[in-house]
Amino acid sequence: MESHVQLYQFDVTKCAVQLGIPDTIQRHGKPMSLAELEAAICINQEKTQSLGQLMRVLTQSGFFEKKFIIKSNDKEVGYALTKAGQLLVRENPLAVTPFMLAILDQDAQKPWHYLSNWFQNRDRSAFQTAHGKTVWELANNMPKFNDYFNEAMASDSRLVATYLFDYSEEGNLGKALFEGLNSLVDVGGGTGTMTKAIADACPWLNCICFDLPHVVAGLQGTKNLTYIGGNMFEAIPQGDAILLKWILHDWNDEECVKILKQCKEAIMNSDKGGRVIIIDIVIGHQTEDYKSLETQLLFDLQVMVWARGKQRDETEWYKLFLNAGFNQYKIISKLGVRSIIEIY
Ligand SMILES: C[S@@+](CC[C@H](N)C(=O)[O-])C[C@H]1O[C@@H](n2cnc3c(N)ncnc32)[C@H](O)[C@@H]1O
């Protein structure tokens, strides 16, 4: 039963977000009956029964819970948001909604229908089989896809930055990471949400957000944040530390070694103990429950389909570091299913 619900869970959750159900219940401030919900969101009157079916599945998947609404002598079933459901509310700074909508966008989903074709052809990725372009080329050519993608990355960066600087177990893991450094280059930093969060939390640090020219075009820096466009395979601006958040999983081993060698060049002149800080998945690392490992494996498939990338276990990471000329690494902490790895 559970697996059948899971099969359609993404589409059903996307539908609820597009109809504004989490936002509506949040604004209401208390559990909402089906009739109240129907009146508040604009759906066709003939679809009441279907709305009930939708809410039943979403309750089963843990985004909503049923609560009784007491009305004079009567009680009625209402729907409230669970903790997981709160992450679907658009105004929540920690919302995962942009990430979810980007992953479930039609253009993003198309490659999954070409998986078997891709296994039999010579294309780099199923994404390329479906679109005739890599993810980065499509983002460069299709502003809507570019915006969706960059907003998805930004929402994930908000989540990670909040954890690093506000909620980390160690008090302030983020500050400890960047203490003693004068400069940081966020390579593949997208539109700079993570870089800006670091620059704001660590005002002593000069930060550069480095990404492809079309990604950073027209973006304004601040006192300690600069945007630079370029290609990480050719050259990376100099700094005391390089941040690679969700970068290496998009590339094969040979390409990762090339990127890491460019990082090594970029920190070579640092007198502050130059290092590379990677935020990515280490498969099997501190996955204390089955769900975490399952999530890591799903992300592994996601990057394979999109970019022919891969998630790596500790041994695979170590091989990359050695081949790029680094000889020490430290896995500092986990960020949910991801880890922070420092390499020297
Ligand atoms: C998965 S996103 C990660 C974005 C950001 N680090 C984050 O975690 O939110 C990968 C980023 O790498 C950038 N990128 C791809 N190829 C690149 C290249 N050759 N040089 C620089 N950046 C590149 C993309 O534009 C994109 O912003």
Side-chain angles (χ1 to χ4, degrees):
M1 171 62 185
E2 201 193 352
S3 63
H4 288 104
V5 169
Q6 280 177 355
L7 192 61
Y8 297 109
Q9 185 173 310
F10 291 130
D11 299 312
V12 170
T13 312
K14 175 181 167 186
C15 170
V17 166
Q18 287 175 329
L19 290 174
I21 294 175
D23 298 330
T24 307
I25 296 183
Q26 173 77 3
R27 269 198 305 274
H28 194 68
K30 53 187 184 199
M32 257 181 132
S33 70
L34 207 56
E36 288 170 329
L37 191 58
E38 188 197 342
I41 59 173
C42 296
I43 60 164
N44 186 297
Q45 284 180 346
E46 290 168 19
K47 310 283 161 59
T48 310
Q49 184 186 314
S50 310
L51 182 64
Q53 289 170 270
L54 192 80
M55 292 309 293
R56 190 165 56 189
V57 169
L58 286 165
T59 302
Q60 173 74 17
S61 16
F63 291 113
F64 300 95
E65 58 188 342
K66 278 185 183 174
K67 293 227 161 132
F68 283 117
I69 309 170
I70 312 290
K71 286 186 177 164
S72 49
N73 290 335
D74 209 5
K75 59 181 185 181
E76 197 181 353
V77 169
Y79 293 96
L81 287 161
T82 60
K83 238 176 163 187
Q86 296 280 350
L87 295 175
L88 301 177
V89 174
R90 281 174 206 260
E91 297 101 71
N92 182 351
L94 302 182
V96 294
T97 313
F99 189 76
M100 191 193 78
L101 290 179
I103 279 198
L104 298 178
D105 172 65
Q106 274 183 21
D107 290 317
Q109 284 292 302
K110 198 172 164 191
W112 290 93
H113 300 287
Y114 289 79
L115 206 47
S116 55
N117 308 56
W118 170 70
F119 266 104
Q120 290 170 327
N121 69 28
R122 294 172 62 89
D123 291 343
R124 177 181 172 109
S125 62
F127 193 97
Q128 198 155 17
T129 303
H131 291 288
K133 292 180 174 61
T134 66
V135 175
W136 322 120
E137 286 164 350
L138 191 73
N140 193 14
N141 288 321
M142 196 192 268
K144 185 188 129 226
F145 182 77
N146 191 36
D147 291 348
Y148 255 51
F149 185 81
N150 291 333
E151 187 38 43
M153 293 301 117
S155 73
D156 177 69
S157 288
R158 281 192 288 273
L159 191 72
V160 172
T162 305
Y163 175 74
L164 277 186
F165 293 111
D166 293 340
Y167 296 126
S168 58
E169 287 159 26
E170 288 81 355
N172 206 323
L173 177 60
K175 280 195 182 156
L177 260 185
F178 304 114
E179 217 153 44
L181 302 171
N182 283 341
S183 55
L184 172 86
V185 187
D186 184 2
V187 171
T191 49
T193 304
M194 190 70 198
T195 335
K196 189 164 183 317
I198 296 170
D200 289 346
C202 309
W204 66 86
L205 202 59
N206 286 313
C207 298
I208 293 173
C209 176
F210 177 79
D211 208 295
L212 292 168
H214 72 265
V215 177
V216 294
L219 296 176
Q220 288 298 316
T222 62
K223 214 171 100 217
N224 63 334
L225 164 66
T226 315
Y227 286 95
I228 297 183
N231 183 344
M232 64 190 170
F233 289 99
E234 290 166 6
I236 289 173
Q238 302 268 310
D240 291 326
I242 305 293
L243 177 66
L244 294 171
K245 174 178 170 291
W246 257 1
I247 300 301
L248 297 176
H249 69 185
D250 286 330
W251 304 95
N252 66 32
D253 289 354
E254 212 175 284
E255 291 158 334
C256 285
V257 169
K258 276 189 195 154
I259 297 169
L260 286 170
K261 281 186 174 168
Q262 289 296 348
C263 293
K264 196 156 183 274
E265 284 278 319
I267 56 172
M268 212 160 66
N269 295 324
S270 166
D271 55 3
K272 304 275 175 202
R275 75 196 77 148
V276 180
I277 300 165
I278 297 169
I279 297 182
D280 236 319
I281 283 174
V282 179
I283 288 195
H285 191 73
Q286 295 185 47
T287 41
E288 52 286 314
D289 59 287
Y290 168 74
K291 275 274 169 217
S292 299
L293 181 61
E294 195 183 60
T295 307
Q296 290 184 335
L297 298 180
L298 283 174
F299 268 109
D300 186 33
L301 281 188
Q302 177 71 40
V303 293
M304 179 191 89
V305 167
W306 267 41
R308 197 168 167 185
K310 66 186 246 194
Q311 312 292 351
R312 298 173 168 88
D313 63 23
E314 192 170 341
T315 313
E316 290 171 314
W317 277 114
Y318 185 46
K319 253 191 218 157
L320 289 188
F321 303 154
L322 280 183
N323 288 338
F326 294 90
N327 48 31
Q328 277 188 62
Y329 74 94
K330 185 162 78 172
I331 302 181
I332 300 171
S333 173
K334 60 168 198 159
L335 291 167
V337 296
R338 280 175 280 184
S339 295
I340 301 170
I341 317 171
E342 273 192 330
I343 59 172
Y344 314 90

